[in-house]
Amino acid sequence: MINDISVIPAWNGRGEKTIKVKVATEKGVFSAYAPSGKSKGKWETAVLPADQVIKNFPDIKKQLIGLDEGDWEKFDSHIEQVCGRNFERCGANFSAALSMAVIRAASGNRVYKLLGGGAAFPYPIGNVAGGGAHMGSTAIQEFLVIPVKAKTITEAIETNFAVWQEAGRVLSRSRHIGRNDEGAWISGTDDVQTLDVVTAAAEAHGARVGLDVAASQLFSKNKYQWASLKKEFNTTEQFEFLKMMIEKYKLVYVEDPFNENDYAAFAELKKSTKCIICGDDLYASQALRIGQGAQHGATNAAVIKMDQAGTVSRAMRAIDACENAQMAHVVSHRSGETCDSFIADFAVGTGAKFIKCGIAGGERTAKLNRLLEIWSETESPAMAGSKF
Ligand code: PGA
Ligand code: ZN
């Protein structure tokens, strides 16, 4: 039984205040931290500032304790009743952290087992260099590496680190080298120069490259603003430019290539390439939107973020919608993270093909190290089958 719940302040790696939710049962205390995004989609469930969550909590605490943590799905429905269908009364950051803490309590901190995870492990998609809303000079938010040839999670992590280090060596010739919110390199280079560097580093290590364009962030006055290239694209020009990039750099993954309303443009790009086209801001981890996207044939993958979904069960429903639409699901961190490694369990437990959890920085390696730990506890582990 859930005997007590508490909420305390905490900080994420970007220096923002967030929350930690602690759930006490007969078996001990189980907890989770809320992640936070910066390049937020318009369809995302609303979060509340940490101080507001802490202030509101005493009023709802009584309604949340005394239930059985074992039936975590029922508890998630109860969260919806207390917080509102869109978690508007408590914030989706609070509901997500509470839901994650409760399923940890239900599983004795082995969430991946409780979710029935098989032996297939997700490929970690690592953020090598970046810009956009996460700081940096490029319009593209994330230049990503995918260790497509890795046979083990160790090889996958080694490859991602090697590519990140190699790209860092080249980019450090610039006087402006630094790291952004997700530990990805930032330098004075523009989008094309950065993609040249990341692709060369990936090729040297048998890996492939992907992008998170996060195009909603570039969309203003009906045009995509590529400041570092001093260009402004309409939708057709954006399509042509990205298609050229996919072909020239043999990209295997492109996330949010267009604005978050433009199912048709997503569908057009998907039709024209074998590259995985993924929706993040487009869907905001909402089952309903994933279903709509499927009707348009918009993407073949969708990002799932715990705080966009609002509870673990809601995230599961979004994954069900992906499965119905034959989309791969990509479990993802946020740019504002703590060392909470929940998404590693969740990705393995739900059979995700990919996990976006970054490469460098303690809050990123926490997830990678948890993947290694789960790998070591798994009988006959293997990487998820890929069709690269
Ligand atoms: P965010 O970025 O956490 O700042 O939203 C991550 C992403 O867009 O994938
Ligand atoms: Zn994204």
Side-chain angles (χ1 to χ4, degrees):
M1 192 173 78
I2 296 171
N3 297 319
D4 194 23
I5 300 175
S6 54
V7 185
I8 60 170
W11 296 89
N12 69 26
R14 182 160 56 204
E16 295 162 339
K17 208 181 211 180
T18 182
I19 50 158
K20 178 181 191 177
V21 176
K22 301 205 282 185
V23 169
T25 71
E26 284 79 16
K27 298 200 187 85
V29 178
F30 301 87
S31 62
Y33 290 87
S36 5
K38 186 162 233 175
S39 78
K40 284 195 197 148
K42 150 175 173 188
W43 305 106
E44 289 200 26
T45 314
V47 296
L48 289 181
D51 287 335
Q52 193 65 45
V53 170
I54 293 164
K55 194 165 156 236
N56 293 356
F57 179 66
D59 290 339
I60 54 167
K61 175 173 169 168
K62 270 212 191 78
Q63 294 167 260
L64 294 168
I65 56 181
L67 282 104
D68 174 22
E69 78 281 5
D71 196 349
W72 58 274
E73 285 177 292
K74 191 165 161 209
F75 188 84
D76 280 354
S77 319
H78 185 67
I79 297 177
E80 287 185 33
Q81 273 163 29
V82 174
C83 297
R85 247 196 78 68
N86 294 313
F87 312 103
E88 59 280 2
R89 284 198 283 280
C90 318
N93 43 343
F94 169 76
S95 61
L98 174 59
S99 174
M100 293 189 280
V102 168
I103 192 171
R104 276 188 167 139
S107 67
N109 278 330
R110 290 174 125 197
V111 171
Y112 76 94
K113 276 214 158 155
L114 188 143
L115 292 177
F121 278 67
Y123 288 87
I125 299 182
N127 191 353
V128 179
H134 294 169
M135 286 205 299
S137 54
T138 60
I140 292 172
Q141 185 176 284
E142 298 167 24
F143 296 81
L144 302 160
V145 57
I146 308 175
V148 294
K149 289 200 181 134
K151 297 274 184 299
T152 64
I153 202 77
T154 301
E155 266 177 54
I157 294 168
E158 265 171 3
T159 304
N160 284 4
F161 260 114
V163 172
W164 176 81
Q165 282 161 343
E166 172 69 17
R169 260 192 296 278
V170 177
L171 293 171
S172 68
R173 291 181 198 139
S174 142
R175 280 183 298 129
H176 308 290
I177 188 92
R179 283 165 54 179
N180 73 6
D181 292 6
E182 290 192 4
W185 298 114
I186 53 178
S187 63
T189 50
D190 69 26
D191 292 274
V192 174
Q193 292 163 334
T194 309
L195 190 48
D196 283 334
V197 171
V198 174
T199 303
E203 273 174 3
H205 294 279
R208 299 286 286 275
V209 174
L211 302 174
D212 181 0
V213 182
S216 301
Q217 305 289 322
L218 311 180
F219 199 64
S220 134
K221 298 184 199 125
N222 269 328
K223 291 266 174 83
Y224 296 94
Q225 310 291 337
W226 291 73
S228 84
L229 299 174
K230 298 191 179 57
K231 289 202 163 88
E232 197 183 64
F233 293 148
N234 65 24
T235 303
T236 309
E237 290 162 337
Q238 175 91 347
F239 173 91
E240 296 297 341
F241 183 64
L242 291 175
K243 187 150 187 311
M244 183 275 288
M245 302 269 257
I246 289 170
E247 283 162 13
K248 180 168 176 200
Y249 296 93
K250 300 190 183 72
L251 303 179
V252 289
Y253 176 93
V254 175
E255 182 177 322
D256 283 347
F258 299 100
N259 188 36
E260 60 207 335
N261 286 326
D262 203 345
Y263 286 132
F266 273 79
E268 200 61 33
L269 187 61
K270 195 195 94 179
K271 247 194 328 211
S272 77
T273 173
K274 285 206 173 93
C275 172
I276 298 167
I277 305 299
C278 182
D280 172 16
D281 290 351
L282 182 71
Y283 299 135
S285 309
Q286 309 296 326
L288 188 74
R289 287 196 57 82
I290 292 168
Q292 286 171 1
Q295 277 172 11
H296 286 84
T299 69
N300 33 27
V303 163
I304 305 292
K305 292 168 169 166
M306 305 314 296
D307 62 323
Q308 283 183 338
T311 59
V312 177
S313 318
R314 282 270 188 107
M316 301 289 289
R317 260 174 265 155
I319 292 168
D320 288 344
C322 289
E323 277 165 12
N324 288 338
Q326 292 174 314
M327 288 186 206
H329 69 278
V330 182
V331 171
S332 172
H333 63 170
R334 301 302 312 242
S335 49
E337 275 288 340
T338 66
C339 288
D340 194 315
S341 58
F342 185 90
I343 56 166
D345 279 69
F346 190 71
V348 177
T350 59
K353 282 247 160 63
F354 303 101
I355 178 169
K356 271 182 91 186
C357 61
I359 302 175
E363 72 277 23
R364 314 294 155 189
T365 50
K367 282 75 165 165
L368 298 171
N369 289 336
R370 178 65 183 153
L371 287 172
L372 280 166
E373 192 170 30
I374 301 173
W375 182 278
S376 77
E377 291 172 4
T378 303
E379 219 175 286
S380 316
M383 299 304 287
S386 82
K387 51 176 172 106
F388 299 111

